[in-house]
Amino acid sequence: MTTRRNVLKGLVAGGAATLMGQSLFAKAAQAATSSQGTWHVTGSHWGAIRALVKGGKVTDVQPLEDDPYPTDMIKGIKGIIYSPSRIKYPMARADWLDNRENADRTTRGDNRYVRITWDEALDLFYEELERVQTTHGPSGLFAGATGWRQTGLFHTCINHMNRAVSMHGNYVRKVGDYSTGAGQTILPYVIGSTEVYAQGTSWPVILENADTVVLWASDPLKNLQVGWTCETHESLPYLDELRDKVAAGEIRVISVDPVRSKTQKHLNSEHLYVNPMTDVAFMLAIAHTLYTEDLHDKEFLDIYSLGFDQFISYVMGEGEDATVKTPEWAAEICGVPAEEIRSFARLLASGRTQFLFGWSLQRQQHGEQPYWMGTILASMLGQIGLPGGGVSYSHHYSGVGVPQTGANMPGAFPLNLDLGKTPKHDLHNYKGASNVIPVARWVDMLLNPGDKIQYNGHEVTYPDVRMAVFTGCNPFHHHQDRNKMRKAFRQLETVVAIDFAWTATCRHADLVLPACTQFERNDMDTYGAYSNTGVVAMRKLVDPLYQSKTDYEIFTGLTDRFGRAEEYTRGMTEMQWLRQMYDTTKAANDGRFEMPDFDQFWEDGMVRFQRGENWVRHAAFREDPEINALGTPSGFIEISSRTIEKFGYDDCGAHPKWMEKAERSHGGPNSDRFPIWLQSCHPDQRLHSQMCESDEYRATYAVQGREPVYISPEDAANRGINDGDIVRVFNDRGQLLAGARVSEDYPQGVVRIHEGAWYGPVDASIGALDTYGDPNTVTMDVGASKLSQATSANTCLVEIEKFEGVAPPVTSFGGPIEESL
Amino acid sequence: MGIVGAAKGFWRTLRKPPATISLGVLSVGGFITGIVFWGGFNTALEVTNTEAFCISCHEMRDNVYQELQETVHWENRTGVRATCPDCHVPHEWTNKIARKMQASKEVWGAVFGTINTREKFLAKREELARHEWARLSANGSLECRNCHDYDSMDWDKMSDEAVFYMRPAAELNTGCIECHKGIAHHLPERSADSSPVVAALEGRAATSLSDGQDYFAYRPVTVFAGEDMAEPAGQLNLAARIEVLETKGDKVHFEMKAWRKDKGYGRVLYDDFGLNARVAVLEKEAAQNAELVQAGTPRNDDNTGLDWSQVTVKLWAAADGFVADDEQLWDVAAESYSSSCSSCHAQPDPDHFSTNAWPALFAGMVGFTNMDATEQELVLTYLQNHSSDNSESH
Amino acid sequence: MKDGIEDEIALGHPEVCRWLAQLFLFEVTADQMAAYQSGAAEPFLDCMASVCEITEGRAAFEAAIVGWGDLETPLRTVAADYAALFLLGEKANAQPYASLFSEGTGQVFGAAHDRMVARLSSQGLGLSAPTNEPADHISFLLEYLSVLLGSPKSGQETPADFLNAEILPWFDRWAQAASRVPVRSRFYPELISLSQRYLAALAKE
């Protein structure tokens, strides 16, 4: 190879030098020869792990040895850190950078970004906060949406963003969440607590005492893989014990579900198929059977509940609809034969019955009703508060049912302003609009400023929002009706997104700030969100990649722009905070739970506590309903609610009722045009949309690079679809490509696409084909009812066809793995 | 989580993690800037006034002396160390003699083995601690004030939170030990009124009660039917409002107006008609004793269909469990709510929900916090008293 | 770097590789844009032309530079093209990492990165650019190639060996991916195809 060179002089030389720049290398000390690496303990939503760090890289990730039931998703963690979807630099949307609020908003999502420096980025962030506060006031800013963030109590991004933005000014916030919006709103009126996030009866108690366990639209084996904080997986071995008891004939487990679930298959238990969205009709008929066959516990109802008479007269056809809710009536709707309904009701009343409800059931239109009915059926059986009886709405979540140690856990970085502090702009004029919005209605809010809606007994007026800030939160996954949402995003003048990966939310933002992953910062976490099994040290594995920063650094930089950085940090470093959090917890546990000093803890990676005592939910209420009254308006179980009745809502009344849905499969409205029900439940191989960007792991379940759509053999055959085909799933709201997985677990007329599949439209236009398979491209964005205004994601009908021709490449991710190899 | 009645927390000298700076940490900043250097500790005292003497008993050496070494009184950035006699032997000579006489009980105990194992020591700790607290309470925390005093605190250098807690105490010249129990040794196992919120409020307690005035319970207050305070009749909730009828020594006879539901034994008293904000729980016998509890005509609550009756209750209690101003309670409650309920999400404004909605929402989430039962009660009461029912904005 | 103050420089293949390395790591600056518009790329293109036929590609590249004059915000537009090609991966990923295009794991910081770290370390070198980019970024590979070309030492890896081992196995696939990325200026696409032709030829020199 030649090394001949031409000598350039003068201007030509100068020009060439300008283009060449300086060497990208510098002299460096010779690195030490590669070692064996070091294993470090850290925590995650997927459990505690050991990570091998070698040569500045995470090279291996293994579950902690004593994790009794590690999730397969551990394999995806490396792919999160080293995903090509990582945000590498602060980026700004090109048109917005030049024109800000006057920029063309129809081009959101078209991928025209430029790299900017951190200084520029934080200046822009601050300038926009200033502009919006001073021009539009607090009703112009929406910074309330939050999501499942990365784990770590100090770096929890929700708190960092809220604290920093609150130092600048007030803003519109949210109430509720997408997971349990209807459930957490109705149950306080009925059984006196949100229940969905409450500790439940200990698993050993259920295993010991229950004769029948009803898994109602609940798939704990799937959902217990992940936890809100570092998950211990201690609840999963109980499912193995349950399987053994099923095999031994000691407990009957019945899964009430349109689909054969992962848990049902694991337990090898019974399946009771119900038509989608018809559970309330089925339940009313069970109530009818219990009542007419005198199987209900009248004494329990008398002592512990109110309003049974009003409810039962509706069941018996004495209400306005003059329809007796017989099993024959219900069979027509729910698809369960009348005799089977009767025998199921008798079974429930024949011994100790524990209901375990999942959350999917309440993420539908009128999602309050089946949850309310769950408490009513349990009340009629009279076993609420007994070991192995009653009703739970949480056993599939974050280790609920594992006895709690009782130890104090570390708190978190403060979300709020310090005592006595006020924002830089302490403005409170929301211009007649509400400052809190039911979370699932914020897209309506963007589209209809000034409109009024009913919510939980009061009126909400939508503010005129101009700017939104999202951190660790991906509404372009969790909100419904992508195309409506894209329209709504055009209302926003400025969108700031802080994340570590290019989610679709970031791709629709104007200013995108790269946070580092949790594996690139020091932190600690509660080990077991409910069990409080211990505290896990989260030692930084590698330095932040590219120019990403911790949320702490990002918001220190932001608050510094208005002179509040010292207040924001309280003058402490990351490690000082951790030390203080730990020491405070140690002091709080002093004398009750042994904790080593911080340095030892940091070295060990974990401190564990003795498992707590077994416990029975609602036992105290049963023991003494006067002293231990429920949190309902009356203090008793409210089978009928006068409080709700007084709201006068047509879609949530005095007691549960069967109400037809806007669209429903199996003969319901609109099923002639779109005959298939799409369920979009929590994924088996992700945590919502987290880890979808982990390319190698995604490749283990994707079908031709697309998100799987699970379909029955009958529906597939009728449409000429084979397992492994790319299909188009569509309705009037949108269209997506997915990969067909034909499965016997699905009945005719039912398909599933797990939520959290990354949205990747072919272009920025409204209605664009989604290339990967985000189910919310086709779901409906209406409130579950005026009571909760929660998501109705599971009220969704579609049609499916085999996709012919050359499928457009997937645009959701940064990696080329599907395309080039 | 969510284990009702299992008081999880304990009165932490180091308060709630980590949204608030612990009081222990505060005292480093606040107290040290306030230290008066008065020329060394007890330099020329007899041998029983030395640390060496104290730890010559293994009970002291292995228990409290070890604990001291973990604290700021042992090691701090000023380099000043407090040793046993600095706090436990009164600095004034005659008191010192008296104190040593009292100490002979511990010496006796060591000889006869009442605290000669760790277990026995722990079992006895509360008694020993209460003894010391009572002594420090009685002398206004004299030994603490040899080094720390309100006048030399540099308020500007203290955090807002430190000022928040310290100011009212300074105004009342409250003794240090009232809030800073456990500053040098571990605390005894939990006891009923040992919540951190109670500790925070202790400095604000009313020192005397005036007849005809209203006061508010700042800790769970046991109430009695008679002046002899022999038979407990129930317990007041935090923030329960009483009107003083008369005080006799350290006892108070009070009247309380409240409401109760007519379903059940009528043991639970509520603040107002139809509103589930509790003020007291009575024993069954007391609740049904017409001499103690006078009930009015039942009135139906349209929201539930239940009948409620107004009641007037006249009972006795110890006089030291009250504050004159309920804002004192709300200050502490608001701070606890704001820090404990924002670990996972932004906490809703109190007036976002109604008085009767709060118990359910609170019960649904409180298990994620470290609040003990007393703190839960105070915060829930705060939320109910500041709910949409009490707010003009909703 | 102080612009235009050098009186005299020698320009050969090491400098062409250095030039390409800069282009793939940083956006075009205003000064550089002006320099391109006054023909500063010519010596580099001349050098390229000495090893391969680039007449058409060169014309297209120069036309793209002329085309900047028609853009409303040329600097911003070219920077956005740069980001779409090299920093983002949405429409069709062309993030210029050897690991991504040669290892099939869908992960960056792969084995190619490790090999480059080892190579640099053995030469007493480290990355100077403040990017925390992986060492198998095309720019670092080209810079390393430039070093090899500039100071050949006997017994060490030859530039051709290096090209064949680390760059050429995946460069075509990367170039193909880049060609699918929607851009407003043809500057980068033409640059990439010129590079493709040039590097292939250089390996055979």
Side-chain angles (χ1 to χ4, degrees):
Chain A
M1 201 175 287
T2 176
T3 54
R4 138 184 104 234
R5 282 162 152 150
N6 296 323
V7 175
L8 308 177
K9 294 190 175 185
L11 280 178
V12 181
T18 301
L19 301 191
M20 263 193 317
Q22 288 182 315
S23 171
L24 304 177
F25 299 146
K27 286 279 172 217
Q30 198 145 337
T33 48
S34 77
S35 67
Q36 292 303 299
T38 316
W39 289 93
H40 289 303
V41 175
T42 188
S44 74
H45 287 302
W46 299 277
I49 56 172
R50 280 189 199 277
L52 179 61
V53 181
K54 200 155 57 173
K57 275 173 45 178
V58 177
T59 57
D60 195 5
V61 176
Q62 294 293 332
L64 206 65
E65 309 76 54
D66 58 353
D67 185 331
Y69 230 105
T71 168
D72 188 58
M73 280 184 265
I74 296 283
K75 294 175 189 159
I77 287 179
K78 237 178 83 187
I80 291 177
I81 306 172
Y82 298 115
S83 167
S85 297
R86 286 287 296 262
I87 305 167
K88 299 193 265 267
Y89 303 92
M91 304 288 285
R93 197 163 71 86
D95 193 32
W96 175 85
L97 189 56
D98 290 326
N99 301 303
R100 303 286 184 92
E101 69 269 29
N102 301 316
D104 178 3
R105 296 178 222 151
T106 63
T107 56
R108 263 190 215 289
D110 77 353
N111 201 29
R112 296 291 292 172
Y113 285 90
V114 293
R115 170 162 61 181
I116 55 177
T117 67
W118 268 110
D119 272 345
E120 289 168 328
L122 293 173
D123 284 347
L124 287 163
F125 193 171
Y126 173 53
E127 283 167 21
E128 285 299 290
L129 288 174
E130 276 291 313
R131 177 181 71 77
V132 169
Q133 281 292 343
T134 54
T135 315
H136 304 287
S139 57
L141 177 63
F142 181 65
T146 50
W148 261 66
R149 91 258 194 281
Q150 304 183 86
T151 56
L153 295 168
F154 171 65
H155 285 292
T156 182
C157 63
I158 301 167
N159 294 22
H160 286 275
M161 188 271 277
N162 274 285
R163 179 172 167 89
V165 175
S166 297
M167 280 182 177
H168 183 265
N170 299 311
Y171 50 88
V172 177
R173 295 168 186 251
K174 61 122 186 181
V175 59
D177 57 48
Y178 284 80
S179 297
T180 67
Q184 65 175 263
T185 309
I186 186 67
L187 291 176
Y189 292 105
V190 174
I191 192 163
S193 143
T194 56
E195 295 293 314
V196 288
Y197 298 128
Q199 173 66 299
T201 299
S202 304
W203 275 110
V205 174
I206 296 175
L207 290 165
E208 184 62 32
N209 295 285
D211 299 306
T212 304
V213 172
V214 180
L215 288 170
W216 207 305
S218 181
D219 199 353
L221 189 65
K222 165 167 72 72
N223 294 327
L224 288 171
Q225 296 179 89
V226 299
W228 172 249
T229 62
C230 184
E231 179 53 50
T232 67
H233 300 126
E234 289 166 287
S235 47
L236 288 167
Y238 294 121
L239 291 179
D240 284 355
E241 286 186 47
L242 185 58
R243 178 191 58 198
D244 296 343
K245 290 202 175 247
V246 169
E250 293 168 23
I251 296 184
R252 279 182 78 170
V253 178
I254 297 163
S255 173
V256 180
D257 204 311
V259 169
R260 273 204 289 270
S261 71
K262 187 177 179 179
T263 308
Q264 186 207 320
K265 290 196 287 183
H266 179 76
L267 299 177
N268 196 21
S269 59
E270 298 161 61
H271 182 208
L272 198 160
Y273 166 86
V274 183
N275 280 339
M277 295 188 283
T278 65
D279 300 74
V280 171
F282 175 54
M283 294 162 127
L284 287 167
I286 294 169
H288 182 273
T289 302
L290 293 174
Y291 183 70
T292 54
E293 299 190 5
D294 202 25
L295 298 171
H296 60 304
D297 186 335
K298 290 173 279 296
E299 191 183 42
F300 181 91
L301 291 168
D302 184 47
I303 296 173
Y304 296 100
S305 80
L306 295 175
F308 181 69
D309 293 347
Q310 193 180 354
F311 164 75
I312 207 67
S313 66
Y314 163 76
V315 171
M316 298 311 291
E318 294 149 22
E320 276 176 27
D321 64 348
T323 304
V324 189
K325 310 303 180 301
T326 60
E328 285 72 18
W329 163 81
E332 288 289 306
I333 300 167
C334 70
V336 186
E339 244 347 276
E340 203 177 320
I341 298 175
R342 285 195 178 86
S343 63
F344 183 63
R346 290 169 198 142
L347 170 71
L348 297 178
S350 68
R352 192 61 60 79
T353 298
Q354 175 77 56
F355 289 107
L356 302 176
F357 280 89
W359 292 347
S360 294
L361 196 59
Q362 47 89 56
R363 286 196 298 267
Q364 58 168 304
Q365 236 189 340
H366 317 131
E368 300 85 358
Q369 309 296 312
Y371 263 34
W372 198 343
M373 275 308 301
T375 296
I376 294 178
L377 292 182
S379 299
M380 292 180 78
L381 298 178
Q383 297 173 0
I384 289 175
L386 290 181
V391 61
S392 158
Y393 301 90
S394 59
H395 270 83
H396 59 285
Y397 178 62
S398 287
V400 161
V402 178
Q404 189 199 39
T405 62
N408 271 40
M409 291 292 119
F413 181 78
L415 180 147
N416 297 302
L417 296 189
D418 289 345
L419 211 66
K421 298 290 185 189
T422 51
K424 179 185 180 203
H425 299 284
D426 196 13
L427 307 171
H428 295 274
N429 182 2
Y430 286 80
K431 301 177 180 170
S434 306
N435 61 353
V436 178
I437 301 299
V439 66
R441 298 275 60 78
W442 69 278
V443 163
D444 281 343
M445 167 191 84
L446 293 178
L447 289 168
N448 309 293
D451 273 15
K452 296 176 190 306
I453 59 160
Q454 276 297 312
Y455 163 64
N456 202 9
H458 65 266
E459 190 176 72
V460 167
T461 305
Y462 290 141
D464 186 0
V465 167
R466 307 303 177 101
M467 174 175 176
V469 182
F470 301 102
T471 183
C473 165
N474 185 11
F476 263 92
H477 123 69
H478 64 228
H479 194 77
Q480 286 59 58
D481 196 344
R482 221 37 93 232
N483 290 308
K484 176 177 164 187
M485 189 170 175
R486 288 189 123 189
K487 257 181 251 168
F489 253 58
R490 293 179 175 178
Q491 301 299 312
L492 288 165
E493 294 165 354
T494 293
V495 179
V496 180
I498 304 129
D499 213 314
F500 60 85
W502 277 101
T503 63
T505 302
C506 294
R507 288 160 193 233
H508 287 80
D510 299 300
L511 181 61
V512 181
L513 305 181
C516 61
T517 71
Q518 64 182 68
F519 307 103
E520 296 150 46
R521 61 197 194 191
N522 291 302
D523 213 327
M524 67 178 67
D525 203 9
T526 297
Y527 190 43
Y530 288 84
S531 61
N532 293 357
T533 297
V535 182
V536 59
M538 299 172 65
R539 193 198 281 256
K540 175 161 89 173
L541 302 178
V542 293
D543 287 329
L545 300 192
Y546 312 104
Q547 285 184 356
S548 64
K549 289 177 187 284
T550 66
D551 298 271
Y552 190 52
E553 288 177 274
I554 293 170
F555 286 106
T556 301
L558 178 70
T559 51
D560 190 41
R561 278 162 172 74
F562 48 99
R564 302 283 286 263
E566 179 74 11
E567 177 192 337
Y568 179 77
T569 61
R570 292 182 180 165
M572 290 195 286
T573 63
E574 175 191 68
M575 286 311 291
Q576 285 172 327
W577 273 98
L578 296 184
R579 218 168 255 280
Q580 187 187 78
M581 286 166 68
Y582 183 84
D583 287 346
T584 310
T585 310
K586 178 170 151 62
N589 283 322
D590 183 30
R592 301 186 300 132
F593 296 93
E594 282 293 313
M595 293 175 76
D597 67 26
F598 178 80
D599 294 317
Q600 187 66 48
F601 160 72
W602 199 244
E603 185 61 37
D604 297 345
M606 175 83 83
V607 52
R608 288 169 162 284
F609 308 119
Q610 283 246 300
R611 183 168 282 204
E613 299 290 314
N614 284 337
W615 183 80
V616 177
R617 181 147 194 87
H618 302 125
F621 167 66
R622 189 180 186 98
E623 167 90 19
D624 188 336
E626 183 174 34
I627 304 286
N628 305 313
L630 299 177
T632 56
S634 65
F636 299 95
I637 295 167
E638 298 207 6
I639 288 174
S640 302
S641 167
R642 293 203 190 191
T643 309
I644 295 177
E645 184 175 22
K646 281 185 163 185
F647 297 156
Y649 296 155
D650 54 0
D651 48 11
C652 188
H655 53 74
K657 289 176 193 159
W658 163 246
M659 285 174 273
E660 189 52 275
K661 314 299 167 208
E663 55 189 51
R664 186 171 64 78
S665 59
H666 300 84
N670 220 21
S671 60
D672 50 340
R673 290 188 60 220
F674 298 105
I676 296 177
W677 179 59
L678 169 68
Q679 60 167 216
S680 50
C681 54
H682 190 276
D684 191 24
Q685 284 142 317
R686 287 187 295 269
L687 194 189
H688 296 311
S689 68
Q690 291 189 42
M691 201 178 268
C692 196
E693 80 280 20
S694 184
D695 285 43
E696 198 174 22
Y697 191 65
R698 187 177 69 252
T700 64
Y701 60 85
V703 177
Q704 290 198 47
R706 321 284 156 159
E707 179 71 10
V709 55
Y710 299 89
I711 184 170
S712 68
E714 298 80 6
D715 285 328
N718 291 343
R719 291 163 177 78
I721 293 168
N722 293 310
D723 188 78
D725 282 349
I726 294 182
V727 297
R728 190 174 78 100
V729 179
F730 62 97
N731 56 24
D732 291 338
R733 292 180 289 270
Q735 51 173 339
L736 61 88
L737 296 184
R741 273 279 165 263
V742 179
S743 166
E744 299 275 356
D745 295 334
Y746 292 78
Q748 190 164 4
V750 173
V751 298
R752 171 189 292 186
I753 303 178
H754 288 130
E755 47 101 341
W758 277 28
Y759 180 58
V762 288
D763 55 43
S765 67
I766 309 289
L769 178 70
D770 170 41
T771 58
Y772 179 68
D774 169 12
N776 280 320
T777 309
V778 294
T779 53
M780 190 189 326
D781 179 24
V782 299
S785 76
K786 297 184 180 70
L787 189 83
S788 68
Q789 293 291 1
T791 179
S792 301
N794 283 328
T795 298
C796 178
L797 297 189
V798 297
E799 180 53 285
I800 298 186
E801 66 186 20
K802 184 168 175 165
F803 185 80
E804 306 287 356
V806 180
V810 172
T811 64
S812 313
F813 308 101
I817 187 165
E818 307 91 348
E819 293 176 50
S820 50
L821 286 166
Chain B
M1 79 140 277
I3 294 182
V4 176
K8 295 198 299 176
F10 191 47
W11 54 329
R12 294 150 278 182
T13 32
L14 306 188
R15 262 183 55 80
K16 305 273 334 149
T20 60
I21 301 181
S22 72
L23 291 182
V25 174
L26 291 179
S27 64
V28 176
F31 273 34
I32 284 179
T33 56
I35 280 189
V36 184
F37 288 92
W38 54 277
F41 298 104
N42 302 308
T43 40
L45 299 176
E46 58 191 286
V47 68
T48 56
N49 273 350
T50 65
E51 184 178 289
F53 173 81
C54 301
I55 60 172
S56 64
C57 287
H58 76 90
E59 290 83 357
M60 294 294 137
R61 187 189 64 223
D62 297 345
N63 293 303
V64 287
Y65 187 63
Q66 295 303 318
E67 295 162 8
L68 172 67
Q69 293 177 33
E70 298 165 8
T71 74
V72 63
H73 281 99
W74 183 263
E75 197 166 54
N76 52 62
R77 61 184 157 81
T78 66
V80 177
R81 174 175 296 175
T83 63
C84 317
D86 296 317
C87 303
H88 294 291
V89 180
H91 294 117
E92 199 208 320
W93 182 252
T94 51
N95 281 352
K96 226 181 280 174
I97 301 294
R99 172 74 194 111
K100 271 188 291 188
M101 295 303 289
Q102 292 168 351
S104 63
K105 211 197 302 179
E106 277 92 320
V107 175
W108 188 263
V111 172
F112 286 89
T114 63
I115 57 169
N116 63 354
T117 65
R118 177 73 180 163
E119 289 66 34
K120 288 182 187 172
F121 170 76
L122 290 177
K124 194 90 175 167
R125 184 201 286 275
E126 179 163 5
E127 187 187 328
L128 297 171
R130 289 205 175 278
H131 192 105
E132 277 303 285
W133 295 340
R135 188 181 60 76
L136 284 162
S137 273
N139 72 11
S141 302
L142 181 66
E143 287 75 25
C144 310
R145 295 190 191 208
N146 281 327
C147 298
H148 310 280
D149 73 53
Y150 289 119
D151 290 342
S152 30
M153 284 182 186
D154 188 342
W155 298 97
D156 294 336
K157 284 192 183 157
M158 289 162 72
S159 71
D160 294 324
E161 194 189 16
V163 173
F164 172 79
Y165 285 107
M166 198 59 83
R167 270 283 186 222
E171 279 159 17
L172 295 168
N173 196 27
T174 306
C176 315
I177 196 65
E178 312 304 336
C179 299
H180 292 277
K181 295 185 182 75
I183 193 88
H185 310 293
H186 293 185
L187 289 161
E189 287 294 310
R190 74 185 82 175
S191 56
D193 55 352
S194 56
S195 170
V197 292
V198 173
L201 285 161
E202 254 161 3
R204 308 169 186 212
T207 45
S208 66
L209 308 182
S210 309
D211 293 355
Q213 296 290 308
D214 285 356
Y215 294 90
F216 304 87
Y218 77 83
R219 58 175 167 77
V221 172
T222 306
V223 292
F224 300 88
E227 187 187 341
D228 59 358
M229 306 230 299
E231 282 298 300
Q235 198 169 57
L236 300 183
N237 276 42
L238 272 74
R241 176 199 294 262
I242 61 157
E243 186 190 334
V244 173
L245 298 172
E246 61 173 324
T247 52
K248 281 195 178 174
D250 55 1
K251 301 170 190 173
V252 58
H253 192 211
F254 66 88
E255 182 180 284
M256 179 177 207
K257 284 198 171 15
W259 289 79
R260 70 183 186 191
K261 297 171 187 173
D262 284 1
K263 178 164 171 161
Y265 299 117
R267 289 171 294 170
V268 181
L269 305 188
Y270 299 94
D271 191 31
D272 206 349
F273 170 75
L275 296 178
N276 293 328
R278 269 176 198 222
V279 290
V281 175
L282 302 179
E283 299 292 332
K284 191 168 153 190
E285 294 71 25
Q288 299 183 344
N289 181 341
E291 283 183 25
L292 300 173
V293 182
Q294 295 171 324
T297 326
R299 181 172 148 196
N300 191 261
D301 171 24
D302 194 36
N303 287 315
T304 59
L306 294 177
D307 282 340
W308 290 60
S309 302
Q310 188 167 28
V311 293
T312 305
V313 184
K314 286 179 183 164
L315 293 162
W316 287 84
D320 62 355
F322 301 92
V323 292
D325 177 5
D326 57 353
E327 287 303 324
Q328 303 278 5
L329 296 160
W330 307 146
D331 279 355
V332 172
E335 161 67 3
S336 166
Y337 175 61
S338 156
S339 59
S340 293
C341 299
S342 60
S343 291
C344 307
H345 54 72
Q347 77 286 5
D349 288 337
D351 66 0
H352 192 76
F353 296 104
S354 69
T355 301
N356 285 356
W358 266 120
L361 298 165
F362 192 70
M365 299 304 288
V366 72
F368 281 109
T369 72
N370 288 325
M371 291 187 197
D372 62 39
T374 306
E375 189 170 3
Q376 290 182 24
E377 182 180 302
L378 177 67
V379 172
L380 175 58
T381 307
Y382 158 75
L383 294 169
Q384 292 185 294
N385 275 275
H386 296 79
S387 71
S388 56
D389 295 304
N390 301 291
S391 155
E392 319 236 314
S393 68
H394 273 258
Chain C
M1 177 188 64
K2 297 278 182 291
D3 298 336
I5 58 162
E6 285 83 351
D7 292 334
E8 181 178 305
I9 59 169
L11 194 146
H13 294 308
E15 287 69 30
V16 172
C17 291
R18 160 80 61 81
W19 172 57
L20 295 174
Q22 290 283 325
L23 274 167
F24 294 136
L25 196 63
F26 302 115
E27 293 86 344
V28 174
T29 65
D31 285 345
Q32 288 172 341
M33 195 162 258
Y36 279 116
Q37 283 170 325
S38 52
E42 276 176 35
F44 298 97
L45 297 169
D46 289 343
C47 184
M48 283 180 155
S50 71
V51 291
C52 55
E53 166 54 46
I54 56 161
T55 315
E56 270 182 42
R58 179 176 188 159
F61 180 67
E62 285 168 345
I65 292 171
V66 171
W68 288 347
D70 301 331
L71 298 171
E72 208 175 308
T73 54
L75 206 58
R76 188 74 89 222
T77 302
V78 174
D81 283 353
Y82 173 86
L85 276 159
F86 308 127
L87 301 180
L88 308 170
E90 185 174 0
K91 299 298 180 194
N93 178 69
Q95 296 184 74
Y97 305 119
S99 296
L100 265 190
F101 283 87
S102 59
E103 292 170 16
T105 62
Q107 289 179 19
V108 294
F109 287 88
H113 160 82
D114 295 342
R115 290 196 300 274
M116 281 308 295
V117 169
R119 275 194 182 88
L120 292 174
S121 177
S122 71
Q123 303 235 10
L125 292 174
L127 304 182
S128 73
T131 57
N132 290 337
E133 287 279 359
D136 63 344
H137 188 289
I138 184 63
S139 291
F140 297 133
L141 303 186
L142 290 169
E143 183 78 29
Y144 189 73
L145 180 60
S146 164
V147 171
L148 293 181
L149 285 164
S151 54
K153 292 176 196 151
S154 62
Q156 92 173 7
E157 192 175 26
T158 68
D161 287 347
F162 178 72
L163 259 171
N164 283 317
E166 298 293 357
I167 300 181
L168 296 183
W170 61 277
F171 199 90
D172 286 353
R173 255 179 293 148
W174 173 61
Q176 198 190 349
S179 71
R180 291 200 300 265
V181 176
V183 287
R184 303 274 166 87
S185 161
R186 292 294 302 160
F187 178 74
Y188 286 114
E190 299 304 342
L191 177 75
I192 291 169
S193 36
L194 283 172
S195 309
Q196 198 176 359
R197 197 172 283 247
Y198 169 67
L199 292 171
L202 200 56
K204 295 189 189 111
E205 273 287 296

